[in-house]
Amino acid sequence: MSDTDPQGLSPEDYAILCGFLRERTGLSFTEAKRYFVDRRVAARMQAVGATDLRAYMNLLRFQASGEELQRLVNLMTVNETYFFREKYQFDCLVNSVLDELVRGRPKGSRLRIWSAGCATGEEPYSIAIMLLESWSRVDDYEIELLASDIDSAVLERAREGIYDERALQGLPAHLRAKYFQPLRGAAAEWGPRWQIVEDLRDSVDFSLVNLADPQQVRGFRGIDVIFCRNLLIYFDDLGRRETASMFHDALAPGGFVCLGHSESMSRMSSLFVPRRFPDAILYQKPVDGGAA
């Protein structure tokens, strides 16, 4: 790549870079994403003073801290979300799934819910609000809300819990008043902002996790419900199969995966049983732990 090359990366260089990103992150970039990738790589190469892709790839591969790879990943990810997005799936959680999961469990036992690809936090905070507002047994169990993303920048925003009007557009007014505080002064200079209350911020455990790295997902075990919505569309077929297998390992027997409305587990893996509830279709790990 050079200033005199208006096309950006050569086809060979583009293939090398995309292969590297797919191996390290699971993210798959096709030719249709060429302009998107070119611009972001060019910006990072200029920032670090890399004169060609080879020098930049050496930095990505061998930098001990991994800081540059993280910066590039942060530029490459898309974080489009808002509160109560596809709310029918949250309805399914509180109306059907949780009662099934706790059947036969003693009070005080643990429930683990994981928002994988949580972006700026709207999804796990929506889950927390739904549990408090709509599940009558919420106080009977120890509920652990886990949230992860590969983008370190959006995780910082998620921990702060500060949102604009667009993020809150699907939230009923009474819930906004109950769980959010309006920000004043400098915090709102770019338009109205609200911060989610401290108790809810403290209820979610956010962590930096690359789903394509077995070491980073090893700590996620005994999960009861995984929300992974509209993330696997950025993976190729192999990446989706690998992630489905990882989710199968992470789930407790009988646990559920919730995907985005355009995604189907049956196209990725035979390890799960589709379950049709009144509100939504989810995918269940068989109780015996085996394939469907």
Side-chain angles (χ1 to χ4, degrees):
M1 176 183 291
S2 71
D3 292 338
T4 60
D5 180 8
Q7 299 303 315
L9 297 172
S10 70
E12 295 78 11
D13 285 348
Y14 186 75
I16 290 170
L17 176 68
C18 291
F20 171 80
L21 290 173
R22 190 257 174 249
E23 178 185 354
R24 291 293 185 92
T25 69
L27 297 171
S28 177
F29 297 99
T30 64
E31 188 64 27
K33 292 287 186 179
R34 180 71 175 273
Y35 182 71
F36 173 89
V37 173
D38 276 349
R39 286 175 59 86
R40 283 151 181 78
V41 172
R44 289 311 309 160
M45 286 177 63
Q46 182 177 14
V48 301
T51 56
D52 56 34
L53 185 70
R54 181 177 180 180
Y56 187 60
M57 291 295 297
N58 284 338
L59 179 64
L60 292 177
R61 287 192 174 103
F62 303 121
Q63 185 183 40
S65 66
E67 291 179 5
E68 180 55 29
L69 177 58
Q70 185 64 62
R71 291 190 184 99
L72 181 63
V73 167
N74 289 358
L75 286 176
M76 293 293 193
T77 52
V78 178
N79 302 290
E80 177 69 22
T81 187
Y82 47 87
F83 279 87
F84 283 15
R85 184 180 187 182
E86 298 175 15
K87 181 178 177 290
Y88 61 90
Q89 295 176 327
F90 301 136
D91 291 334
C92 183
L93 177 72
V94 297
N95 292 337
S96 304
V97 170
L98 291 176
D99 286 338
E100 178 173 322
L101 285 170
V102 301
R103 194 173 299 136
R105 295 192 193 185
K107 289 185 177 181
S109 58
R110 186 175 63 172
L111 277 168
R112 305 190 83 197
I113 301 173
W114 177 17
S115 170
C118 68
T120 43
E122 288 91 332
E123 179 175 270
Y125 288 139
S126 293
I127 294 170
I129 292 171
M130 286 294 296
L131 291 172
L132 291 170
E133 291 292 315
S134 302
W135 194 45
S136 61
R137 306 173 72 181
V138 66
D139 293 326
D140 293 340
Y141 297 91
E142 179 187 346
I143 300 174
E144 186 175 357
L145 287 178
L146 309 172
S148 68
D149 204 277
I150 196 173
D151 185 331
S152 59
V154 298
L155 284 173
E156 286 304 309
R157 292 169 57 192
R159 293 186 182 103
E160 290 177 349
I162 296 174
Y163 300 99
D164 59 15
E165 181 66 39
R166 188 180 184 285
L168 299 178
Q169 62 184 334
L171 198 67
H174 72 283
L175 295 182
R176 182 185 301 200
K178 185 174 182 179
Y179 293 107
F180 292 81
Q181 298 170 333
L183 297 181
R184 310 294 184 189
E189 63 178 319
W190 299 107
R193 296 286 191 276
W194 290 264
Q195 185 170 34
I196 200 161
V197 296
E198 185 176 2
D199 284 348
L200 276 191
R201 297 201 305 273
D202 292 343
S203 73
V204 181
D205 181 7
F206 290 99
S207 57
L208 183 68
V209 174
N210 177 357
L211 296 182
D213 186 337
Q215 294 292 333
Q216 294 188 28
V217 299
R218 186 167 294 172
F220 290 83
R221 291 294 183 269
I223 307 295
D224 292 292
V225 183
I226 298 173
F227 281 81
C228 184
R229 305 187 301 168
N230 307 305
L231 170 63
L232 298 183
I233 58 175
Y234 299 105
F235 289 19
D236 60 17
D237 288 342
L238 176 59
R240 294 184 191 106
R241 290 195 297 271
E242 292 172 342
T243 304
S245 179
M246 180 272 291
F247 284 162
H248 184 268
D249 292 341
L251 283 169
F256 293 89
V257 174
C258 180
L259 299 176
H261 73 278
S262 65
E263 301 168 305
S264 172
M265 184 64 78
S266 60
R267 300 172 188 167
M268 307 177 200
S269 172
S270 61
L271 292 171
F272 297 87
V273 176
R275 290 287 308 279
R276 185 179 295 275
F277 293 98
D279 295 300
I281 297 174
L282 273 63
Y283 301 91
Q284 186 174 30
K285 176 178 178 176
V287 174
D288 62 9

